[in-house]
Amino acid sequence: MANLFLLQLLNGAQFGILLFLVAAGLTLVFGIMDFINLAHGVLYMLGAYLMAMFALETGSFWLGLLLALATTLVVGLVLEWLVFRRLYDRPHLDQVLATFALMLILSEGVKILWGSAPLNVAMPELLSGSIPLAGPLRYPVYRIAIIVAGLATAAGLWWLIARTRAGMLLRAGASNRPMVAALGTDISRLFLLVFALGAMLAGFAGALVSPVLSVDPGMGDSILILTFVVIVIGGVGSVKGAFAGALLVGIVDTVGRIFGPIWLKLVMDPAAATQAGRVLAPMLVYLLMAAVLSWRPNGLFGRPS
Amino acid sequence: MTLLAVRDLRKSYGALAVTDGLSLDVAEGELHAIIGPNGAGKTTLIAQLSGQLAPDSGSVTFDGTDITRTDMASRVRAGLARSFQITTLMPAMTALENVALAVQGRSGSSFRFWRPVAAEAALNDQAMTCLAQVGLADRADRPAAAMSHGEKRQLELAVALACRPRLLLLDEPLAGTGPQEAERLVALLEALKGQVTMVLIEHDMAAVFALADRISVLVYGQIVASGGPEEIRQDPAVRAAYLGEEAC
Amino acid sequence: MSAAPKAAIALLILLALVPPAAAAIGDPFLTVIATRMAVFAIAALSLDLILGYGALVSFGHAAYLGLGAYAVAVCARHGITDLFLQMGAAALAAALFAAVSGAVSLRTRGIYFIMITLAFGQMAYFFFVSLSAYGGDDGTALAARSTLFGRAWLENDTAFFYMVLACLALAYGGLDRLVHARFGRVLTGTRESELRMRAIGYRPFRYRLAAYVLSGMICAVAGVLLANQTEYVSPAYMAWTRSGELIVMLLLGGVGTLAGAMAGALVTVGLEELLAGWSEHWRLCFGLILLAVVLWSPAGLTGLLRRLLAGGRR
């Protein structure tokens, strides 16, 4: 039982790390530009598809990853330049609609290019197999690699935000938008940078997860909504909040799905517990969000409005 | 009789004490002006008196009832209304609708879903009276967004009056008005004197000294002097802290 | 009362003429499309109440469509086939869900509100996805349409269409009264300036919540009709993209006018049918059109809307 719990905890952390990669860019865009982007999940999906394509073309996981990252970065730049920068000063409703339209266009485009059937990506030789964890328990190397890569990215982001000039502007922007706006021309380049970086991180998450999940056109939708939950729980604009929120959501969701029915069996009869568990588990993160918000309406690390 | 009593009110943002142990008495029927240099904490004080902002400590008593923790809506119903320094109206609504909405707030339930509100004569009549009072009777059907700045300031006052306040908190009613508009508003406040108790925050010293029964001087979140206009004019501390600065 | 009610009445008459026209040119499918248009017009009207008049950008409104649809399936399984009883059950379920989710969501503003309503919508979606008794992910077919006074009158597409049209006319008439009544003026006031409303003695939360609940109930009635139209219920009715489509309808028609909401629903459903008949990748075209409208011709967005959201952003 304890081993199973440890296993699920690791799975939850791994899922949380992926959520963080997607959420990091989005929360900055929300916080600094006060911009709502519904097309962010599509970038995650795009990362996975590009990974599938490039890995197949080049025959190498690593080369595929590199090309997928570069391409999502370029896509992010182009989207910012073509669409998003026209929307910063527009009302939220316009942003919702434009990015909703973009989401329809991109996901339909993906279907046209790659079809609706799920694709698979081969795991690299180096990261396949598993390592012993505790006693007879083993854990896949690749999943550990995801956790490590995610943590390294988080550390890199921390360095970027805490130690560089661009990061200083970001922090200033998240806490005081008018001040950053007053800095003038630098700002449009900063927005471009944040956007492209966010796109690349989302693409990175999609590429990372492609060998363990099947790549399909619906994958962007489900992660986008969970990312919103993460951002709302963590507090809009806070990367620290996104990290905490992502791990919380990842672990609660994963552990809840496995242990929810088990724990429910302690208080009700098994058949009812199984049914109730199956219904309740997917709703757990949303209940968590509602609970956090009734306690702190601006999220765990959000600044009061 | 004291209508509003403020005792040892404190509000800080981090290390900055915006309201720093402030005490104030406003007698029923008087026009009590509060003056002070920029950043003295005047708007923050109004926000705490009206219930928009909760003080860290201290108390606000209105007509013998402690209202320190009472929300804005209840204070309005108890008879404490305010105008805003930055015009806060319903831009898409006409002047009449703006005022009628305030009348509606104190007359009957708003959970009525069927009868057209525009046909409620009782609301419209009272609203028209308030508009006429501020000299906007001929502007009743104009959307607030389409009014001149001076007219908006007048409307702001009409909306506050429509709440039938016993105490009116006026946050720089003359802000941004031209000389003629200001003159008109001063005459209006003069006419209101005696009918309603007023707390007036204003930068226009000529208006303050012409209108006020009492003046309190607010510096760094504290009242440093309080008295009649002559008294304040002569007070050396006030001259140093405030009027001197104005003269520069 | 100016041009708006006239436009709304014109739209209703136009819809009413569809079945005879369809019979004349021998294309009964037109009536089916008109039924869908009318159903979504009811849903769009309900969303317009909170989004257009209350400035509450709800991105989870499709949940109520789904709740209404599942109310039909659940009632039918328990032997309740009467349309009006089903509508009552749907409205009750929607009211409960709206009261609870609204009480939490309405504590927040702006982007938070958009995301929270979205999350609540997803919560409802996943609830029905995991409800294996009703087909889970795939949904379940209805044995028959609902009955009226024990009779299967609604099996006839034309009769059913006029039933839906009657509901639409009622929804429009009722909401038109409501937005011009005391309640509507207060709701509009909370849209225009929350601070001013509090400063004249209102507590905006209770009015917003009441509007939110009412809006959910009306949308659930649309859901009951939608399930009857397709004779099928599935979680797809409450997918978040469906909530997005409802907002699109309002945008295309003009937010904050009831006639606009109806017109937007008609245009959107019509456009979808048209594009879907033309290519299986119609969503691409639909997205491009939508993007073009938002970026280059914000005409659907009236001046009212601009102010509404400029206020919302602060």
Side-chain angles (χ1 to χ4, degrees):
Chain A
M1 192 68 157
N3 279 345
L4 181 63
F5 189 75
L6 181 66
L7 198 69
Q8 292 310 327
L9 211 58
L10 273 172
N11 281 342
Q14 179 242 300
F15 184 41
I17 289 281
L18 283 174
L19 283 174
F20 168 69
L21 289 178
V22 184
L26 199 55
T27 199
L28 283 174
V29 168
F30 275 144
I32 295 168
M33 306 172 203
D34 195 29
F35 183 85
I36 184 153
N37 179 13
L38 297 173
H40 199 74
V42 177
L43 295 167
Y44 165 83
M45 173 186 69
L46 201 62
Y49 270 99
L50 289 169
M51 178 74 196
M53 182 179 79
F54 286 129
L56 198 69
E57 295 282 323
T58 61
S60 153
F61 174 89
W62 302 105
L63 213 54
L65 182 64
L66 205 66
L67 285 170
L69 280 183
T71 315
T72 45
L73 184 72
V74 171
V75 169
L77 289 171
V78 170
L79 284 180
E80 205 276 347
W81 184 69
L82 269 183
V83 181
F84 294 123
R85 64 173 46 184
R86 293 163 207 273
L87 292 168
Y88 294 144
D89 297 329
R90 304 282 287 271
H92 283 150
L93 198 53
D94 284 16
Q95 298 171 352
V96 164
L97 284 155
T99 56
F100 182 71
L102 211 56
M103 185 213 74
L104 291 178
I105 296 167
L106 289 175
S107 47
E108 206 58 41
V110 162
K111 274 186 212 163
I112 294 173
L113 276 178
W114 287 291
S116 296
L119 300 180
N120 290 303
V121 175
M123 203 171 281
E125 199 66 34
L126 184 66
L127 300 176
S128 35
S130 58
I131 53 161
L133 201 61
L137 199 65
R138 298 180 71 82
Y139 200 70
V141 176
Y142 190 80
R143 284 177 183 272
I144 290 179
I146 291 181
I147 296 180
V148 172
L151 288 177
T153 312
L157 265 180
W158 173 82
W159 176 80
L160 189 75
I161 290 168
R163 290 281 182 269
T164 66
R165 198 184 118 75
M168 190 195 74
L169 281 174
L170 281 183
R171 274 179 292 139
S175 57
N176 187 350
R177 290 212 314 140
M179 196 201 91
V180 172
L183 294 174
T185 48
D186 257 347
I187 206 75
S188 61
R189 208 176 308 153
L190 181 72
F191 281 14
L192 181 66
L193 181 91
V194 172
F195 227 105
L197 186 72
M200 193 180 75
L201 285 177
F204 182 46
L208 268 186
V209 83
S210 60
V212 285
L213 286 181
S214 68
V215 179
D216 69 70
M219 65 189 288
D221 281 7
S222 43
I223 197 118
L224 178 71
I225 313 293
L226 278 179
T227 306
F228 284 161
V229 174
V230 164
I231 290 173
V232 166
I233 287 179
V236 168
S238 162
V239 174
K240 202 198 309 176
F243 189 75
L247 283 181
L248 198 62
V249 168
I251 290 171
V252 165
D253 189 55
T254 310
V255 173
R257 275 170 207 273
I258 306 297
F259 282 85
I262 297 176
W263 287 330
L264 280 175
K265 272 176 197 156
L266 301 176
V267 291
M268 54 172 81
D269 75 277
T274 309
Q275 180 62 32
R278 196 182 309 152
V279 172
L280 281 177
M283 294 166 61
L284 211 56
V285 289
Y286 302 103
L287 294 174
L288 174 72
M289 182 194 73
V292 168
L293 282 176
S294 19
W295 171 47
R296 293 179 72 111
N298 294 301
L300 294 176
F301 294 89
R303 64 206 131 88
S305 53
Chain B
M1 185 216 136
T2 303
L3 185 59
L4 181 78
V6 181
R7 289 290 168 270
D8 198 26
L9 205 65
R10 286 172 197 277
K11 177 81 190 172
S12 312
Y13 292 105
L16 181 70
V18 193
T19 307
D20 193 11
L22 185 149
S23 295
L24 177 73
D25 283 299
V26 178
E28 178 132 41
E30 73 176 356
L31 193 157
H32 195 130
I34 295 173
I35 61 173
N38 285 323
K42 299 188 296 287
T43 292
T44 315
L45 174 63
I46 291 281
Q48 290 171 84
L49 297 183
S50 65
Q52 191 185 349
L53 207 61
D56 297 337
S57 67
S59 74
V60 180
T61 311
F62 180 67
D63 196 19
T65 314
D66 186 333
I67 56 163
T68 316
R69 300 289 154 198
T70 308
D71 77 347
M72 221 167 169
S74 310
R75 290 187 203 205
V76 175
R77 289 179 183 207
L80 206 159
R82 71 171 291 189
S83 76
F84 291 88
Q85 181 190 355
I86 299 161
T87 304
T88 306
L89 297 162
M90 321 292 181
M93 292 186 181
T94 65
L96 184 70
E97 286 168 347
N98 265 281
V99 183
L101 197 49
V103 178
Q104 183 184 322
R106 58 169 169 77
S107 44
S109 169
S110 286
F111 281 96
R112 292 191 196 157
F113 302 91
W114 193 251
R115 216 178 129 208
V117 63
E120 285 196 45
L123 296 187
N124 292 339
D125 292 350
Q126 291 182 59
M128 273 313 289
T129 308
C130 295
L131 282 177
Q133 215 175 346
V134 302
L136 280 179
D138 57 338
R139 292 283 187 272
D141 293 325
R142 181 169 288 209
M147 297 180 115
S148 74
H149 181 76
E151 287 173 341
K152 283 181 187 163
R153 300 307 296 170
Q154 285 165 272
L155 183 55
E156 180 87 20
L157 206 53
V159 170
L161 286 175
C163 300
R164 279 213 190 131
R166 295 181 59 199
L167 175 64
L168 192 51
L169 304 167
L170 299 165
D171 194 355
E172 298 197 29
L174 305 184
T177 56
Q180 282 177 332
E181 290 165 338
E183 206 175 306
R184 189 182 188 138
L185 283 165
V186 169
L188 175 60
L189 294 182
E190 185 70 54
L192 285 173
K193 266 178 72 171
Q195 298 173 40
V196 52
T197 312
M198 283 178 272
V199 170
L200 171 71
I201 286 179
E202 189 48 63
H203 274 299
D204 183 336
M205 285 305 126
V208 166
F209 281 94
L211 283 169
D213 300 310
R214 282 178 78 79
I215 298 176
S216 291
V217 183
L218 184 63
V219 179
Y220 293 125
Q222 289 172 329
I223 301 287
V224 296
S226 207
E230 265 327 293
E231 241 177 294
I232 294 298
R233 219 193 287 270
Q234 304 304 331
D235 192 321
V238 175
R239 295 181 80 93
Y242 185 66
L243 298 175
E245 183 189 278
E246 285 280 294
C248 292
Chain C
M1 298 299 107
S2 51
K6 278 187 202 146
I9 289 163
L11 283 173
L12 289 171
I13 293 174
L14 203 69
L15 276 175
L17 294 177
V18 169
I25 61 169
D27 187 357
F29 191 62
L30 275 183
T31 304
V32 176
I33 294 177
T35 310
R36 282 184 71 81
M37 285 177 168
V39 167
F40 280 103
I42 298 174
L45 278 176
S46 74
L47 181 61
D48 201 22
L49 174 65
I50 51 172
L51 199 156
Y53 292 87
L56 302 169
V57 182
S58 165
F59 212 116
H61 211 59
Y64 299 98
L65 215 50
L67 277 176
Y70 272 93
V72 176
V74 174
C75 284
R77 185 164 298 184
H78 293 89
I80 302 167
T81 58
D82 185 80
L83 183 73
F84 294 122
L85 286 178
Q86 291 176 344
M87 282 180 175
L92 191 68
L96 283 174
F97 184 61
V100 174
S101 67
V104 176
S105 313
L106 288 169
R107 288 166 53 87
T108 65
R109 284 282 150 294
I111 279 183
Y112 278 95
F113 184 80
I114 298 176
M115 289 198 282
I116 286 156
T117 48
L118 181 57
F120 272 115
Q122 285 303 103
M123 193 167 132
Y125 173 78
F126 283 121
F127 175 81
F128 287 103
V129 162
S130 50
L131 205 63
S132 48
Y134 289 89
D137 214 352
D138 297 326
T140 177
L142 297 175
R145 281 196 178 145
S146 308
T147 55
L148 274 180
F149 313 112
R151 290 170 187 272
W153 282 329
L154 300 179
E155 293 299 333
N156 178 306
D157 277 347
T158 306
F160 179 63
F161 167 76
Y162 282 112
M163 181 70 218
V164 174
L165 191 65
C167 291
L168 173 60
L170 264 176
Y172 168 75
L175 284 172
D176 189 53
R177 292 295 300 215
L178 181 143
V179 298
H180 291 107
R182 277 186 166 215
F183 183 81
R185 187 174 277 179
V186 172
L187 189 62
T188 312
T190 64
R191 171 190 80 192
E192 295 283 302
S193 170
E194 168 167 6
L195 182 58
R196 171 44 84 190
M197 286 305 279
R198 290 201 285 132
I200 53 177
Y202 293 96
R203 293 192 182 92
F205 178 82
R206 56 177 69 175
Y207 302 100
R208 286 185 170 134
L209 186 61
Y212 192 78
V213 169
L214 191 66
S215 164
M217 291 167 75
I218 297 172
C219 194
V221 168
V224 169
L225 297 170
L226 182 64
N228 270 292
Q229 190 258 314
T230 54
E231 297 183 52
Y232 201 88
V233 294
S234 104
Y237 291 159
M238 44 176 86
W240 71 280
T241 47
R242 182 74 76 179
S243 299
E245 271 173 53
L246 289 175
I247 298 181
V248 168
M249 290 174 188
L250 290 191
L251 165 97
L252 290 180
V255 176
T257 68
L258 296 175
M262 287 165 63
L266 265 56
V267 170
T268 309
V269 173
L271 199 61
E272 280 179 9
E273 293 289 343
L274 201 69
L275 293 174
W278 177 58
S279 158
E280 65 165 311
H281 298 296
W282 63 273
R283 281 189 190 84
L284 186 74
C285 308
F286 188 70
L288 285 171
I289 292 172
L290 185 57
L291 191 62
V293 169
V294 179
L295 284 185
W296 289 292
S297 145
L301 302 164
T302 56
L304 178 77
L305 173 69
R306 305 236 139 258
R307 247 197 328 277
L308 176 173
L309 285 140
R313 295 183 69 170
R314 252 165 293 173

